[in-house]
Amino acid sequence: MDYWRKPLDIDKYEITHGAIHIIIDRCKGCNFCIEFCPKKVLEVSNEFNVKGYHPPMVADQAGCVACKLCELICPEFAIYVTEDKHMAISKKEPHED
Amino acid sequence: MSQNDIHPMDKLIRADRMPHIWCSGCGLGTNFSCFLSALDQSGLDIDKCVIVSGIGCTGRIPGYTNIDSYHTTHGRAIPFATGLKLANPELTVIVFSGDGDLFAIGGNHFIHAARRNVDINIICVNNFNYGMTGGQFGPTTPLDAITTTSPYGNYEHPFNLVQVAAGSGAVYVVRWTSLHVRRLTNSIKEALLKKGFTFIEIISPCPTSFGRRNKLGDGLDEMKYYQKYSVIRHGIDPKDADLCLNGKIVVGKFIDVDKPTFLDNQPDLVSMAEKNKK
Ligand SMILES: Cc1ncc(C[n+]2csc(CCOP(=O)(O)OP(=O)(O)O)c2C)c(N)n1
Ligand code: SF4
Ligand code: SF4
Ligand code: SF4
Ligand SMILES: [Mg+2]
């Protein structure tokens, strides 16, 4: 069931975009960022880092809305996002998606 | 995408100590990240903030922060923090420690600091066992859970930590899981700015010890479990927020009240004694 409708003034807002930065050798491959990104922007890569984990990779750069959930949930300080425009929009918890 | 640059939280962590010791899929790094964000957003002067822990996997947290931090002996974080606060009332004092450290060996300190309403902030990571020492059962281990010291299932009733905190007199009591990153960050911020004894319980994955023995899967599976089984119930009586193995997890803010702190209530004993001499 959907609890919300599309805001009527949605066209007045510009959606923020984010640039994703991954510090590959810090990653321990827990996949939290990949699973809980509300826009499903990230995917597991085939690459190995120095510790032998598969870090995430950006599969849909254009989809990133700079909510920074990945940045907050990453246990390793291995991923962060810089905003392209204005303020972030999604303040949702991952389970509310 | 760019690689290998500087993370915004590197200003608050000891980046040279990364990677930390916590296992892949452990919730501790996420809890720590939320704490640092809350501290950053709180507007507090970080030179006036101190973080204290006892011993355990959770107890390693202060060692990774760039603010003043103390890694004390097992169970003694709260008396140490109480001393810091009473000697330097202008400090914001945070205790970040595990369920075993705060409620087994340190249990008495907890209830009495709460009773006195000492103005300190407690963050307890509840992973339902003694993670660091190999996964023994402790005071929060649910009935029937398998641990190294309960191979046939735990038969001791666990503490409901939010009920213990509320019953002991804490002025602020919340519970979240490691998945509730935004709400957890907001609650930590709120607790840091609140006067009195505050208590935050974080239900957190320990895939290596507790998770593995109870077939909960990896850290990500535990996080998905929280996503599916957490229910937010703000304001309910904490006694109704019992936890059990594989049951639902009641989360939310249960208590937020105001009352005078230990220091507020302390009379000026020196001048009283001097008056008596005359
Ligand atoms: C006086 C004393 N007794 C026992 C120990 C062994 N010990 C180290 S950590 C720990 C329990 C930690 O459990 P918890 O606080 O839940 O932390 P976790 O590792 O689960 O985060 C114990 C019993 C000790 N270090 N000192
Ligand atoms: S900032 Fe948000 S949308 Fe962008 S990758 Fe991270 S979690 Fe996904
Ligand atoms: S959350 Fe962090 S450690 Fe986990 S997979 Fe993503 S980048 Fe790696
Ligand atoms: S033993 Fe458990 S609590 Fe300790 S670091 Fe590993 S997963 Fe985390
Ligand atoms: Mg523990």
Side-chain angles (χ1 to χ4, degrees):
Chain A
M1 179 179 145
D2 273 343
Y3 288 97
W4 39 72
R5 54 169 170 76
K6 223 175 208 174
L8 297 173
D9 55 354
I10 194 155
D11 50 316
K12 291 199 196 108
Y13 291 90
E14 209 163 344
I15 294 185
T16 319
H17 288 286
I20 301 153
H21 308 258
I22 301 169
I23 307 174
I24 286 176
D25 287 337
R26 276 191 184 176
C27 173
K28 283 187 198 154
C30 68
N31 292 352
F32 291 178
C33 58
I34 297 169
E35 175 71 24
F36 298 114
C37 165
K39 304 296 285 180
K40 299 281 167 253
V41 166
L42 304 163
E43 260 173 33
V44 185
S45 70
N46 291 324
E47 191 187 336
F48 288 102
N49 69 8
V50 280
K51 292 194 286 268
Y53 292 109
H54 293 293
M57 63 172 204
V58 179
D60 176 20
Q61 170 64 64
C64 177
V65 292
C67 70
K68 302 193 182 186
L69 190 104
C70 52
E71 182 177 318
L72 192 58
I73 209 167
C74 173
E76 307 291 334
F77 305 97
I79 185 166
Y80 68 95
V81 174
T82 46
E83 278 161 38
D84 273 357
K85 267 184 214 121
H86 311 300
M87 275 302 298
I89 49 161
S90 171
K91 293 278 179 213
K92 282 193 290 174
E93 292 286 349
H95 68 277
E96 287 171 343
D97 211 57
Chain B
M1 181 175 69
S2 64
Q3 292 171 9
N4 300 322
D5 10 18
I6 305 213
H7 191 283
M9 276 305 146
D10 279 13
K11 63 181 181 199
L12 291 176
I13 61 174
R14 299 186 197 181
D16 56 321
R17 294 198 184 173
M18 295 295 125
H20 50 60
I21 60 158
W22 301 314
C23 309
S24 169
C26 178
L28 279 164
T30 301
N31 307 337
F32 183 38
S33 162
C34 294
F35 166 73
L36 294 173
S37 286
L39 186 66
D40 200 30
Q41 292 165 25
S42 70
L44 290 166
D45 174 3
I46 59 161
D47 289 333
K48 293 261 183 286
C49 296
V50 185
I51 174 164
V52 184
S53 75
I55 306 296
C57 293
T58 314
R60 302 300 287 251
I61 278 180
Y64 293 123
T65 60
N66 224 349
I67 67 168
D68 287 344
S69 52
Y70 296 90
H71 192 190
T72 72
T73 49
H74 195 28
R76 310 303 169 214
I78 288 179
F80 194 96
T82 302
L84 278 171
K85 182 68 191 180
L86 300 190
N88 299 286
E90 81 280 10
L91 296 179
T92 299
V93 181
I94 303 116
V95 170
F96 212 136
S97 219
D99 48 276
D101 186 75
L102 287 168
F103 290 94
I105 189 168
N108 239 28
H109 299 303
F110 181 90
I111 58 175
H112 291 288
R115 173 181 62 79
R116 294 170 174 142
N117 197 22
V118 180
D119 185 10
I120 57 178
N121 308 290
I122 315 292
I123 305 172
C124 175
V125 177
N126 184 3
N127 52 20
F128 305 109
N129 77 144
Y130 299 166
M132 173 154 276
T133 45
Q136 295 81 2
F137 76 83
T140 61
T141 308
L143 278 173
D144 301 326
I146 309 289
T147 68
T148 41
T149 45
S150 61
Y152 303 107
N154 175 38
Y155 54 85
E156 294 188 14
H157 293 287
F159 272 148
N160 168 351
L161 296 186
V162 290
Q163 188 184 11
V164 172
S168 305
V171 294
Y172 183 89
V173 179
V174 311
R175 175 195 284 150
W176 297 113
T177 75
S178 297
L179 180 76
H180 294 85
V181 285
R182 303 246 191 251
R183 295 178 200 272
L184 175 60
T185 303
N186 287 337
S187 290
I188 297 175
K189 198 171 26 173
E190 213 167 57
L192 289 175
L193 298 172
K194 189 170 171 81
K195 223 171 129 181
F197 187 93
T198 68
F199 179 67
I200 295 176
E201 176 183 14
I202 312 173
I203 306 298
S204 186
C206 169
T208 302
S209 289
F210 191 78
R212 182 163 52 94
R213 295 202 174 82
N214 290 287
K215 306 210 170 357
L216 305 180
D218 59 16
L220 182 61
D221 291 323
E222 289 195 54
M223 293 287 260
K224 288 185 190 162
Y225 178 84
Y226 302 157
Q227 183 171 30
K228 208 160 163 200
Y229 288 93
S230 297
V231 279
I232 299 177
R233 292 277 181 276
H234 292 303
I236 65 157
D237 188 331
K239 82 170 170 20
D240 299 323
D242 269 347
L243 296 170
C244 61
L245 191 63
N246 302 326
K248 67 174 197 251
I249 303 173
V250 177
V251 294
K253 177 155 81 173
F254 308 115
I255 307 276
D256 190 355
V257 296
D258 293 303
K259 68 179 175 190
T261 67
F262 180 82
L263 278 175
D264 291 340
N265 275 353
Q266 193 175 51
D268 183 356
L269 294 174
V270 176
S271 53
M272 281 164 87
E274 254 151 28
K275 219 183 279 165
N276 236 3
K277 263 195 255 165
K278 285 173 199 161

